[in-house]
Amino acid sequence: MLDEKDVEKLSGVVEHISFRNEDNGFTVLDLSSGDELVTVVGVLPETDVGEKLRLTGRWDFHKSFGRQFRAELCEREMPKTSAELLKYLSSGAIKGVGPSTALKLVEAFGEKTFDVLENDVDRLASVKGISKRKAVEISRNFSEQFAVREIMIALEKYGMNPRECLRAFKAFGPNTVDTVRKNPYILCRENIGIGFERADEIASNIVDGSFEKNSRNMAGIVYIINHNLSNGHTCVPRDRIYDPAKNLLCANSDETDKAIAELLETNQLVSYEIDGREFLFLPHIFKCEKNIAARISLLKKFPPAGKNTLDKEIRQIEFENDIKYEEKQFSAIKTAAQEGMLILTGGPGTGKTTTLNGILKIFEKQKLTVALCASTGRAAKRMSELTGHEAKTIHRLLEVEFDSDDKQVFARNMRNPLNVHAVIIDELSMVDVTLFSSLLDALPLGCRIVLVGDSNQLPPVGAGNVLQDLIEAGAMPVVTLTEVFRQAMESLIVTNAHRIICEEEIDLSKNDRDFFMMEKKTQKGVAETVTQLVSQRLPKAYGYSFMNDIQVICPSKKGEAGTANINRVLQNELNPPDGMKKQVSVSGHVLREGDKVMQTKNNYDVVWKKGDENGAGIFNGDIGTLERINFGDATMSIDFDGKKAVYPMENARDIELAYAVTVHKSQGNEFEAVVMTVMDTPARLCYRNLLYTAITRAKKLMIIVGSSAQVRLMAGNNKTTKRYSALKAFLTDEIEIS
């Protein structure tokens, strides 16, 4: 919802539609408001010339086009007078009715034109030039269009914004209004983007509805489980539902049990017992975890043809490449080739890349077709650079598509598996259960699978803890590289990372190599020092670019030492407004031409061009430069590592400043230099895995600015937040594919 201090009201008549995206309803139109013609942008589906609109939103300003009103809420009033009706019908809003026919209709029926169009085909056919057949067609087109329009108008009265109205109509069709009136909480179930709290607001506006309390309780319980899903849990113990249900819904245990019973009966939840304790799942997550266990079991039953004479081939690779594998590296290469399944894990400097390249070479000798992939675009790019082989995102490898409901599906699946002999997945710690399940579905029987990751890093942003669960369940062979090579030991970044995971005290005393601790007493002091480092000291001392080489990483978004403030400060210092650069306000922050920005969710529709190469898709975590804002066609141009992408302006909400990013957002990336803030870090973020993940993002230089005492506290705190997951239990059971 809008911040109350930003709210403005605007009303008027639509004069002209400049642009409309038919898929999502994003519209640019001219509105006649009093004596002024105003440009309005926003999600305004089913809006046509001649309509009266009452809009709620805020004003934006840009140099070329002046003021624009960005509409968030819309109330419609259909044309009533003859003049208004003529203007509306002349716009072509109704298929089969142009300016000439519109004039005839209004002259014949006046203010009753709409009533005749909807209800009296015979009178419509009496107009000169309109045959009975054409009259039927016009009436049908009018009725179909106005059914949608009336639904939009009715839902907007309940406080739903146009985007929500459009999604609700797509989900529920002609009976949308009755469906929502009888049970507004059904809006939480479909892909409409309405959470429980919004449904509660909408329900309070439906004075003519009568819905049962149990429907609210059911939606609230699903909301609680969804909230836990967003925190990484794939399931929730039933006994952990009662307290939040009481706080959120004022529901006692009997009412909660009644709601859970109906959710289970209607297959909106799944129940499963693990070690005598009942757990509740959303069905699609239950299916994913169950499927992972089943697919791994199937791959084990149909292993690839192994070879027992691999030692000689591996020694030949050593000779050809003037290298000597240590014992565990040798074992990993042999296991991958002979058994066809391997988890390769280890910290920085332990030779994962060398081992991975050895696996690739043995696969090449065996003439195997190999696919390399990672969860993010930047991780895939780094994998390509380290191996010399093309690597794709997992989504790209699986050929992501969208169905008619705009839901993500993969062209590569059990019916259409990948045409490969082996798949290697890097940065597995970042992969959640839904994506891993889809990947396993696409593997042909007999396919080798090599999973590479660092189990000491943070778990994925999505649900589950796949890498850790696979290791703990003993689901496949695991080789953990522990020997830090001598060259790597010269790096304090590497040695401190290993000190953290070995529960040894981190060394913050040395300031003469690649790891520095800069002690500060206040968050303000941290922010000032970070600004100096990024804007002046590091570029001057090392020749680093703030755009390409230096990355500020913060544990939290909040506070003066958090990403929100650091981004504002660095933007003002590194890319200040100058009267020439266009900018746009999005979700409380300003995006300006020249800014360093990050994509915050996968978007497979964004088209990009890189030299002679064309493609589509920009992914969560991709970092680029905002090159141009074009208010004329409502687009933004962003350069992501040479990929020039053009965004519709409505997608700007998926872009945020990236001078500073959270540790979670930095996963899968490596940077020449990392500057980390550690000051007054919230207790829930003050733990070992988070610090370890941040430190291992730095390739050549790591600087921590803040409190050394808190850094040591983080290094010593191994109490990571527990994630509820059933995957380990499923992996240790006998799972069959149904």
Side-chain angles (χ1 to χ4, degrees), residues 633-692:
D633 60 6
T635 61
M636 302 166 61
S637 299
I638 304 176
D639 183 342
F640 292 98
D641 287 330
K643 292 180 178 179
K644 308 278 187 176
V646 178
Y647 278 70
M649 194 71 78
E650 68 263 32
N651 287 353
R653 63 185 179 277
D654 299 335
I655 299 293
E656 62 184 30
L657 294 175
Y659 301 101
V661 300
T662 62
V663 179
H664 287 84
K665 284 291 185 183
S666 74
Q667 280 183 275
N669 296 324
E670 281 190 342
F671 310 95
E672 295 293 302
V674 168
V675 179
M676 183 185 186
T677 65
V678 180
M679 174 64 69
D680 299 331
T681 303
R684 62 184 176 82
L685 296 172
C686 199
Y687 60 95
R688 179 178 299 164
N689 292 46
L690 188 135
L691 178 64
Y692 174 82

Coordinates of all heavy atoms in Angstrom, one line a residue, residues 633-692:
D633 N 9.0 6.3 -23.8 CA 8.4 5.0 -24.0 C 8.4 4.1 -22.7 O 8.2 2.9 -22.7 CB 9.1 4.2 -25.1 CG 10.6 4.0 -24.8 OD1 11.0 4.3 -23.7 OD2 11.3 3.5 -25.7
A634 N 8.6 4.8 -21.6 CA 8.5 4.1 -20.2 C 9.4 2.9 -20.1 O 9.0 1.8 -19.8 CB 7.0 3.8 -19.9
T635 N 10.7 3.1 -20.4 CA 11.7 2.0 -20.4 C 12.9 2.5 -19.6 O 13.2 3.7 -19.5 CB 12.1 1.5 -21.8 OG1 12.7 2.6 -22.5 CG2 10.9 1.0 -22.5
M636 N 13.7 1.5 -19.2 CA 15.0 1.7 -18.6 C 16.0 0.8 -19.3 O 15.7 -0.3 -19.6 CB 15.0 1.4 -17.1 CG 14.0 2.1 -16.3 SD 13.8 1.4 -14.6 CE 15.4 1.5 -14.0
S637 N 17.2 1.3 -19.6 CA 18.3 0.5 -20.2 C 19.4 0.3 -19.2 O 19.9 1.2 -18.6 CB 18.8 1.3 -21.4 OG 17.8 1.5 -22.4
I638 N 19.7 -1.0 -19.0 CA 20.7 -1.4 -18.0 C 21.7 -2.3 -18.6 O 21.4 -3.2 -19.4 CB 20.1 -2.1 -16.8 CG1 19.0 -1.2 -16.2 CG2 21.1 -2.5 -15.7 CD1 18.2 -1.9 -15.0
D639 N 23.0 -2.1 -18.4 CA 24.1 -2.9 -18.9 C 24.5 -3.9 -17.8 O 25.1 -3.5 -16.8 CB 25.3 -2.0 -19.3 CG 26.4 -2.8 -19.9 OD1 26.5 -4.0 -19.7 OD2 27.3 -2.2 -20.5
F640 N 24.3 -5.2 -18.0 CA 24.7 -6.2 -17.1 C 25.9 -6.9 -17.7 O 25.8 -7.8 -18.5 CB 23.6 -7.2 -16.8 CG 22.4 -6.7 -16.1 CD1 21.3 -6.2 -16.7 CD2 22.4 -6.6 -14.7 CE1 20.2 -5.7 -16.0 CE2 21.3 -6.1 -14.0 CZ 20.2 -5.7 -14.7
D641 N 27.1 -6.5 -17.3 CA 28.3 -7.2 -17.8 C 28.3 -7.3 -19.3 O 28.6 -8.3 -19.9 CB 28.5 -8.6 -17.2 CG 28.9 -8.5 -15.7 OD1 29.6 -7.5 -15.3 OD2 28.5 -9.4 -14.9
G642 N 27.9 -6.2 -20.0 CA 28.0 -6.2 -21.4 C 26.6 -6.6 -22.1 O 26.4 -6.4 -23.3
K643 N 25.7 -7.2 -21.3 CA 24.4 -7.5 -21.8 C 23.5 -6.2 -21.6 O 23.2 -5.8 -20.5 CB 23.8 -8.6 -21.0 CG 24.4 -10.0 -21.2 CD 23.7 -11.1 -20.4 CE 24.3 -12.4 -20.7 NZ 23.7 -13.5 -19.9
K644 N 23.2 -5.6 -22.8 CA 22.4 -4.4 -22.8 C 20.9 -4.8 -22.7 O 20.4 -5.3 -23.7 CB 22.6 -3.6 -24.0 CG 24.1 -3.3 -24.3 CD 24.6 -2.1 -23.4 CE 26.0 -1.8 -23.8 NZ 26.5 -0.6 -23.2
A645 N 20.2 -4.5 -21.6 CA 18.8 -5.0 -21.4 C 17.9 -3.7 -21.4 O 18.3 -2.7 -20.8 CB 18.7 -5.8 -20.1
V646 N 16.8 -3.9 -21.9 CA 15.8 -2.8 -21.9 C 14.6 -3.3 -21.1 O 14.0 -4.3 -21.4 CB 15.3 -2.4 -23.3 CG1 14.2 -1.3 -23.3 CG2 16.5 -2.0 -24.2
Y647 N 14.2 -2.5 -20.1 CA 13.2 -2.9 -19.1 C 11.9 -2.0 -19.3 O 12.1 -0.7 -19.4 CB 13.6 -2.6 -17.7 CG 14.5 -3.7 -17.1 CD1 15.8 -3.9 -17.5 CD2 14.0 -4.5 -16.0 CE1 16.6 -4.9 -16.9 CE2 14.7 -5.4 -15.4 CZ 16.0 -5.7 -15.9 OH 16.8 -6.6 -15.3
P648 N 10.7 -2.5 -19.3 CA 9.6 -1.7 -19.1 C 9.6 -1.0 -17.7 O 10.1 -1.6 -16.8 CB 8.4 -2.7 -19.2 CG 9.0 -3.9 -19.8 CD 10.4 -4.0 -19.4
M649 N 9.1 0.2 -17.7 CA 9.3 0.9 -16.4 C 8.6 0.3 -15.2 O 9.1 0.4 -14.1 CB 8.7 2.4 -16.6 CG 9.1 3.3 -15.5 SD 10.8 3.8 -15.6 CE 10.8 5.0 -16.9
E650 N 7.5 -0.5 -15.5 CA 6.8 -1.1 -14.4 C 7.7 -2.2 -13.7 O 7.4 -2.6 -12.6 CB 5.5 -1.7 -14.8 CG 5.6 -2.9 -15.8 CD 5.5 -2.6 -17.2 OE1 5.9 -1.4 -17.6 OE2 4.9 -3.4 -18.0
N651 N 8.8 -2.7 -14.4 CA 9.7 -3.6 -13.8 C 10.8 -3.0 -12.9 O 11.6 -3.7 -12.4 CB 10.3 -4.5 -14.8 CG 9.3 -5.5 -15.5 OD1 8.2 -5.6 -15.0 ND2 9.8 -6.2 -16.5
A652 N 10.7 -1.7 -12.8 CA 11.7 -1.0 -12.0 C 11.7 -1.4 -10.5 O 12.7 -1.3 -9.8 CB 11.5 0.5 -12.1
R653 N 10.5 -2.0 -10.1 CA 10.4 -2.4 -8.7 C 11.3 -3.6 -8.4 O 11.6 -4.0 -7.3 CB 9.0 -2.7 -8.3 CG 8.4 -3.9 -9.1 CD 6.9 -4.1 -8.8 NE 6.3 -5.2 -9.6 CZ 5.9 -5.0 -10.8 NH1 5.9 -3.8 -11.4 NH2 5.4 -6.0 -11.5
D654 N 11.8 -4.3 -9.5 CA 12.7 -5.4 -9.3 C 14.2 -5.0 -9.4 O 15.0 -5.9 -9.4 CB 12.4 -6.5 -10.4 CG 11.0 -7.0 -10.4 OD1 10.4 -7.0 -9.3 OD2 10.5 -7.4 -11.5
I655 N 14.4 -3.7 -9.4 CA 15.8 -3.2 -9.5 C 16.0 -2.4 -8.2 O 15.2 -1.6 -7.8 CB 16.0 -2.3 -10.7 CG1 15.7 -3.0 -12.0 CG2 17.3 -1.6 -10.7 CD1 16.8 -4.1 -12.3
E656 N 17.2 -2.6 -7.6 CA 17.6 -1.8 -6.4 C 19.0 -1.4 -6.5 O 19.8 -2.0 -7.3 CB 17.3 -2.5 -5.1 CG 18.1 -3.8 -4.9 CD 17.7 -4.5 -3.7 OE1 16.5 -4.4 -3.2 OE2 18.6 -5.2 -3.1
L657 N 19.4 -0.4 -5.8 CA 20.8 0.1 -5.8 C 21.7 -1.0 -5.3 O 21.3 -1.8 -4.4 CB 21.0 1.3 -4.9 CG 20.2 2.6 -5.4 CD1 20.4 3.7 -4.3 CD2 20.8 3.1 -6.7
A658 N 22.9 -1.1 -5.8 CA 23.9 -2.2 -5.5 C 25.2 -1.7 -5.1 O 26.2 -2.5 -5.2 CB 23.9 -3.1 -6.7
Y659 N 25.4 -0.4 -4.7 CA 26.7 0.0 -4.2 C 27.0 -0.8 -2.9 O 28.1 -1.2 -2.6 CB 26.6 1.5 -3.8 CG 26.3 2.4 -4.9 CD1 25.0 2.9 -5.1 CD2 27.3 2.7 -5.9 CE1 24.8 3.8 -6.2 CE2 27.0 3.6 -6.9 CZ 25.8 4.1 -7.1 OH 25.5 4.9 -8.2
A660 N 25.9 -1.1 -2.2 CA 26.0 -2.0 -1.0 C 24.9 -3.1 -1.1 O 23.8 -2.8 -1.5 CB 25.8 -1.3 0.3
V661 N 25.2 -4.3 -0.8 CA 24.2 -5.4 -0.8 C 24.4 -6.2 0.4 O 25.4 -6.2 1.1 CB 24.4 -6.4 -2.1 CG1 24.3 -5.6 -3.4 CG2 25.8 -7.1 -2.0
T662 N 23.3 -7.0 0.8 CA 23.4 -7.8 2.0 C 24.2 -9.0 1.7 O 24.5 -9.4 0.5 CB 22.0 -8.3 2.4 OG1 21.4 -9.1 1.3 CG2 21.1 -7.1 2.7
V663 N 24.7 -9.7 2.7 CA 25.5 -10.9 2.5 C 24.7 -12.0 1.7 O 25.2 -12.6 0.9 CB 25.9 -11.5 3.9 CG1 26.8 -12.8 3.7 CG2 26.7 -10.5 4.7
H664 N 23.4 -12.1 2.1 CA 22.6 -13.1 1.4 C 22.5 -12.8 -0.1 O 22.6 -13.7 -1.0 CB 21.1 -13.1 1.9 CG 21.0 -13.7 3.3 ND1 21.3 -13.0 4.4 CD2 20.7 -14.9 3.6 CE1 21.1 -13.8 5.5 NE2 20.7 -15.0 5.0
K665 N 22.4 -11.5 -0.5 CA 22.4 -11.1 -1.9 C 23.7 -11.3 -2.6 O 23.8 -11.4 -3.9 CB 21.9 -9.7 -2.1 CG 20.4 -9.4 -1.9 CD 19.6 -10.1 -3.0 CE 18.1 -9.8 -2.8 NZ 17.3 -10.4 -3.9
S666 N 24.8 -11.3 -1.9 CA 26.2 -11.5 -2.5 C 26.5 -12.9 -2.8 O 27.5 -13.2 -3.5 CB 27.2 -10.9 -1.5 OG 27.4 -11.8 -0.4
Q667 N 25.7 -13.9 -2.3 CA 26.0 -15.3 -2.6 C 26.1 -15.6 -4.1 O 25.4 -15.0 -4.9 CB 24.9 -16.2 -2.0 CG 25.0 -16.4 -0.5 CD 24.0 -17.3 0.0 OE1 22.8 -16.9 0.3 NE2 24.3 -18.6 0.1
G668 N 27.1 -16.4 -4.4 CA 27.3 -16.8 -5.8 C 28.2 -15.9 -6.5 O 28.6 -16.1 -7.7
N669 N 28.6 -14.7 -5.9 CA 29.4 -13.7 -6.5 C 30.8 -13.7 -5.9 O 31.0 -14.1 -4.7 CB 28.8 -12.3 -6.4 CG 27.5 -12.2 -7.1 OD1 27.3 -12.8 -8.2 ND2 26.6 -11.4 -6.6
E670 N 31.8 -13.3 -6.6 CA 33.1 -13.0 -6.1 C 33.5 -11.6 -6.6 O 33.2 -11.2 -7.7 CB 34.2 -14.0 -6.5 CG 34.1 -15.3 -5.7 CD 35.3 -16.2 -6.0 OE1 36.0 -16.0 -7.0 OE2 35.6 -17.1 -5.2
F671 N 34.2 -10.8 -5.7 CA 34.6 -9.5 -6.1 C 36.1 -9.3 -5.8 O 36.6 -9.9 -4.9 CB 33.8 -8.5 -5.3 CG 32.3 -8.7 -5.4 CD1 31.7 -9.4 -4.4 CD2 31.6 -8.2 -6.4 CE1 30.3 -9.7 -4.4 CE2 30.2 -8.5 -6.5 CZ 29.6 -9.2 -5.5
E672 N 36.8 -8.4 -6.6 CA 38.2 -8.2 -6.3 C 38.4 -7.7 -4.9 O 39.3 -8.1 -4.2 CB 38.7 -7.1 -7.3 CG 38.7 -7.5 -8.8 CD 39.7 -8.6 -9.0 OE1 40.9 -8.4 -8.8 OE2 39.2 -9.7 -9.5
A673 N 37.5 -6.7 -4.5 CA 37.7 -6.2 -3.1 C 36.3 -6.1 -2.4 O 35.3 -5.7 -3.1 CB 38.3 -4.8 -3.2
V674 N 36.2 -6.5 -1.2 CA 35.0 -6.5 -0.4 C 35.2 -5.6 0.8 O 36.2 -5.7 1.5 CB 34.5 -7.9 0.0 CG1 33.4 -7.8 1.1 CG2 34.1 -8.7 -1.2
V675 N 34.3 -4.7 1.0 CA 34.3 -3.9 2.2 C 33.0 -4.3 3.0 O 31.9 -4.1 2.5 CB 34.2 -2.4 1.9 CG1 34.2 -1.5 3.2 CG2 35.5 -2.0 1.1
M676 N 33.2 -4.8 4.2 CA 32.1 -5.3 5.0 C 31.9 -4.4 6.2 O 32.8 -4.0 6.9 CB 32.3 -6.7 5.5 CG 31.1 -7.3 6.2 SD 31.5 -9.0 6.8 CE 29.9 -9.4 7.5
T677 N 30.6 -4.1 6.5 CA 30.3 -3.3 7.7 C 29.8 -4.3 8.8 O 29.0 -5.2 8.6 CB 29.2 -2.3 7.4 OG1 27.9 -3.0 7.1 CG2 29.5 -1.4 6.3
V678 N 30.4 -4.1 10.0 CA 30.0 -4.9 11.2 C 29.9 -4.0 12.3 O 30.9 -3.6 13.0 CB 31.0 -6.1 11.5 CG1 30.5 -6.8 12.7 CG2 31.1 -7.0 10.3
M679 N 28.7 -3.5 12.6 CA 28.5 -2.6 13.7 C 27.0 -2.7 14.2 O 26.1 -2.4 13.3 CB 28.9 -1.1 13.4 CG 28.5 -0.1 14.4 SD 29.5 -0.3 15.9 CE 31.1 0.1 15.4
D680 N 26.8 -3.0 15.4 CA 25.4 -3.1 15.9 C 24.6 -4.1 15.1 O 23.4 -3.8 14.8 CB 24.7 -1.8 16.0 CG 25.5 -0.8 16.9 OD1 26.1 -1.3 17.9 OD2 25.4 0.4 16.7
T681 N 25.2 -5.2 14.6 CA 24.5 -6.2 13.8 C 23.4 -6.8 14.6 O 23.6 -7.2 15.8 CB 25.5 -7.2 13.3 OG1 26.5 -6.6 12.6 CG2 24.8 -8.2 12.4
P682 N 22.2 -6.9 14.1 CA 21.1 -7.6 14.8 C 21.5 -9.0 15.2 O 22.2 -9.7 14.5 CB 20.0 -7.6 13.8 CG 20.2 -6.5 12.9 CD 21.7 -6.4 12.8
A683 N 21.1 -9.4 16.4 CA 21.5 -10.7 17.0 C 21.2 -11.9 16.0 O 22.0 -12.8 15.9 CB 20.8 -11.0 18.3
R684 N 20.0 -11.8 15.3 CA 19.7 -12.9 14.4 C 20.6 -13.0 13.2 O 20.6 -14.1 12.5 CB 18.2 -12.7 13.9 CG 18.0 -11.5 13.1 CD 16.6 -11.2 12.7 NE 16.4 -10.0 12.0 CZ 16.6 -9.8 10.7 NH1 17.0 -10.9 10.0 NH2 16.4 -8.7 10.2
L685 N 21.4 -12.0 13.0 CA 22.4 -12.0 11.8 C 23.8 -12.1 12.3 O 24.7 -12.0 11.5 CB 22.2 -10.8 11.0 CG 20.8 -10.6 10.3 CD1 20.7 -9.2 9.6 CD2 20.6 -11.7 9.3
C686 N 24.0 -12.3 13.6 CA 25.3 -12.3 14.2 C 25.8 -13.7 14.4 O 25.9 -14.2 15.5 CB 25.3 -11.5 15.5 SG 26.9 -11.0 16.0
Y687 N 26.1 -14.4 13.2 CA 26.5 -15.8 13.4 C 27.6 -16.2 12.3 O 27.8 -15.4 11.4 CB 25.3 -16.8 13.3 CG 24.5 -16.7 12.0 CD1 24.8 -17.6 11.0 CD2 23.5 -15.8 11.8 CE1 24.1 -17.6 9.8 CE2 22.8 -15.7 10.7 CZ 23.0 -16.6 9.7 OH 22.3 -16.6 8.5
R688 N 28.2 -17.3 12.6 CA 29.4 -17.7 11.9 C 29.3 -17.9 10.3 O 30.1 -17.4 9.6 CB 29.9 -19.1 12.4 CG 31.2 -19.6 11.8 CD 31.6 -20.9 12.5 NE 31.8 -20.7 13.9 CZ 31.9 -21.6 14.8 NH1 31.7 -22.9 14.5 NH2 32.2 -21.3 16.1
N689 N 28.2 -18.6 9.9 CA 28.0 -18.8 8.5 C 27.9 -17.5 7.7 O 28.4 -17.4 6.5 CB 26.8 -19.7 8.2 CG 27.0 -21.1 8.7 OD1 27.5 -21.3 9.9 ND2 26.6 -22.1 7.9
L690 N 27.3 -16.5 8.3 CA 27.1 -15.3 7.6 C 28.4 -14.6 7.4 O 28.8 -14.1 6.3 CB 26.1 -14.4 8.3 CG 25.7 -13.1 7.6 CD1 24.2 -12.9 7.7 CD2 26.4 -11.9 8.2
L691 N 29.2 -14.5 8.5 CA 30.6 -13.9 8.4 C 31.5 -14.7 7.4 O 32.1 -14.1 6.5 CB 31.2 -13.9 9.8 CG 32.7 -13.3 9.8 CD1 32.7 -11.9 9.4 CD2 33.2 -13.5 11.2
Y692 N 31.4 -16.0 7.4 CA 32.2 -16.8 6.5 C 31.8 -16.6 5.1 O 32.7 -16.4 4.2 CB 32.0 -18.3 6.9 CG 32.7 -19.3 6.0 CD1 34.0 -19.6 6.1 CD2 31.9 -19.9 5.0 CE1 34.6 -20.5 5.2 CE2 32.5 -20.8 4.1 CZ 33.9 -21.1 4.2 OH 34.4 -22.0 3.4

